[in-house]
Amino acid sequence: EPEVTQTPSHQVTQMGQEVILRCVPISNHLYFYWYRQILGQKVEFLVSFYNNEISEKSEIFDDQFSVERPDGSNFTLKIRSTKLEDSAMYFCASSLELSNIQYFGAGTRLSVL
Amino acid sequence: AQTVTQSQPEMSVQEAETVTLSCTYDTSESDYYLFWYKQPPSRQMILVIRQEAYKQQNATENRFSVNFQKAAKSFSLKISDSQLGDAAMYFCAYRHRDSGTYKYIFGTGTRLKVLA
């Protein structure tokens, strides 16, 4: 069964550094999403992406964050200057169409020291 | 605003027994989807079951079934014949359309322990 894959599984970085989290959505899917889960808290929507542009973003997704689909397969989340509070599990998801189920990846655990 | 509440932070069940995980939600919409996701220690979020609000029949998927009470805004998950592999964090989620995008609103999760 097709899966959403995310790399790395765990990323450790120093505060102030830039990180790029990578996702390979299911190949024929057109809609892409990032969610965040701070330890012990609920999963929160960050951003949705379609047709090479952001279609919706939450208040969490400030100027420090950006997303990109640099080629036909990858979907990345960049945090420009990480803060301690960015430490969380980041989930990528994709769906075939807007109204379809979103399939989630296994997540990347980001630890900001 | 839509909210999803899971009031049980942790539940335990004996292997082969049945357990029910609770979920309530708040919405003013009439047409929506509800989901249960499983997050085992491997961290992959796995879709367990989904329910369309316009369908009165409760969804079932093998040992997993839901009790969907639309008027009460309740969406509980029943796991029958529990297995050790069912041990995981379970998230209830509501799919909400806001400004043209579908977003998932998640509950805080229920950690299920399965006792041998």
Side-chain angles (χ1 to χ4, degrees):
Chain A
E1 186 174 331
E3 287 184 350
V4 175
T5 56
Q6 290 185 243
T7 55
S9 58
H10 189 192
Q11 175 85 50
V12 181
T13 189
Q14 294 290 328
M15 190 170 58
Q17 295 296 304
E18 173 184 287
V19 294
I20 298 177
L21 310 183
R22 302 182 191 280
C23 170
V24 178
I26 294 173
S27 63
N28 61 338
H29 283 190
L30 302 176
Y31 294 81
F32 314 111
Y33 313 84
W34 282 102
Y35 290 79
R36 180 181 81 175
Q37 183 186 26
I38 294 172
L39 186 64
Q41 299 185 23
K42 63 177 69 176
V43 177
E44 302 170 291
F45 169 81
L46 288 179
V47 66
S48 60
F49 190 86
Y50 169 72
N51 198 26
N52 282 320
E53 61 182 26
I54 291 173
S55 46
E56 185 74 18
K57 60 182 181 179
S58 71
E59 59 275 8
I60 303 168
F61 194 88
D62 60 23
D63 293 343
Q64 297 282 67
F65 292 88
S66 63
V67 289
E68 193 178 32
R69 188 156 163 81
D71 52 43
S73 60
N74 290 283
F75 178 53
T76 61
L77 173 69
K78 181 191 293 186
I79 309 175
R80 187 152 45 90
S81 177
T82 50
K83 303 187 286 285
L84 294 176
E85 53 265 37
D86 293 328
S87 295
M89 184 76 79
Y90 288 82
F91 291 99
C92 172
S94 70
S95 64
L96 177 60
E97 295 179 2
L98 183 63
S99 59
N100 285 165
I101 288 174
Q102 296 176 16
Y103 291 85
F104 287 79
T108 293
R109 180 172 297 283
L110 176 65
S111 299
V112 182
L113 306 178
Chain B
Q2 287 78 9
T3 59
V4 175
T5 302
Q6 292 179 253
S7 59
Q8 306 152 316
E10 191 171 290
M11 294 280 285
S12 295
V13 62
Q14 289 287 338
E15 200 176 1
E17 297 294 307
T18 296
V19 65
T20 299
L21 309 184
S22 302
C23 174
T24 58
Y25 59 95
D26 190 24
T27 184
S28 57
E29 297 176 330
S30 60
D31 189 18
Y32 48 86
Y33 280 74
L34 295 162
F35 304 86
W36 278 97
Y37 280 91
K38 171 184 176 182
Q39 187 183 31
S42 66
R43 303 170 304 145
Q44 178 94 31
M45 291 265 281
I46 302 165
L47 176 65
V48 174
I49 200 165
R50 69 170 174 170
Q51 175 81 43
E52 293 107 329
Y54 67 86
K55 289 187 177 179
Q56 292 189 340
Q57 187 174 7
N58 289 324
T60 62
E61 194 71 43
N62 300 316
R63 297 182 295 108
F64 298 88
S65 62
V66 298
N67 182 5
F68 175 49
Q69 301 289 328
K70 190 172 183 179
K73 296 178 183 173
S74 170
F75 182 61
S76 59
L77 174 70
K78 185 171 82 170
I79 306 174
S80 304
D81 185 25
S82 298
Q83 300 174 358
L84 294 176
D86 295 334
M89 184 72 90
Y90 285 81
F91 291 98
C92 177
Y94 170 99
R95 194 183 75 173
H96 157 63
R97 186 165 189 174
D98 180 19
S99 303
T101 296
Y102 285 99
K103 288 181 282 188
Y104 283 42
I105 311 296
F106 286 85
T108 51
T110 296
R111 183 171 300 283
L112 179 66
K113 295 184 176 180
V114 181
L115 309 174

